[in-house]
Amino acid sequence: MENIRYKKITNENFLNKFEQQLNELKKSDDFSINSRIFALINYKNKNIDTLCIGEYRGICLNGNILSHNDDFHNLIMDEIDFYDKKLYDELRRN
């Protein structure tokens, strides 16, 4: 399991944007996503949500598929440094 990376995010600016954008997402009729990222969201009240995200699209919260949102997806991918940004931008242009 050499390709597994762990990251604890405490950046308040990111967490505020994350929470705001997550709360705006609606349930979707899509039936599946190709998850590459699995996140645990720990709340101060001790509740935990699970978030699964596809490499290019797809968002699932606690087993519920949500409508895709590029801004939310990119916010997460940038914060966890999922892509080699320079290479990814070059591939998207071609």
Side-chain angles (χ1 to χ4, degrees):
M1 302 229 173
E2 62 195 54
N3 291 329
I4 294 177
R5 294 184 291 158
Y6 297 91
K7 182 172 185 175
K8 180 178 181 177
I9 300 172
T10 58
N11 175 334
E12 294 240 0
N13 187 40
F14 167 81
L15 293 172
N16 290 332
K17 288 179 187 176
F18 175 88
E19 183 177 24
Q20 177 187 6
Q21 290 183 28
L22 178 62
N23 289 332
E24 293 173 2
L25 298 178
K26 306 291 183 216
K27 282 191 177 180
S28 172
D29 292 333
D30 288 345
F31 57 90
S32 69
I33 64 171
N34 185 2
S35 290
R36 300 291 184 195
I37 296 138
F38 174 76
L40 296 174
I41 305 167
N42 296 297
Y43 297 97
K44 289 179 182 176
N45 65 6
K46 307 281 189 214
N47 286 341
I48 298 175
D49 284 336
T50 58
L51 183 70
C52 297
I53 304 159
E55 184 173 358
Y56 298 104
R57 63 179 293 109
I59 301 165
C60 180
L61 180 67
N62 297 328
N64 297 304
I65 305 291
L66 302 177
S67 56
H68 182 77
N69 179 293
D70 283 335
D71 290 337
F72 182 69
H73 192 268
N74 291 335
L75 175 74
I76 294 166
M77 297 306 224
D78 288 346
E79 181 67 25
I80 64 172
D81 196 26
F82 187 80
Y83 303 114
D84 176 337
K85 194 72 168 141
K86 199 187 265 186
L87 175 62
Y88 180 70
D89 288 342
E90 185 176 316
L91 290 171
R92 289 187 86 182
R93 274 184 257 139
N94 294 330

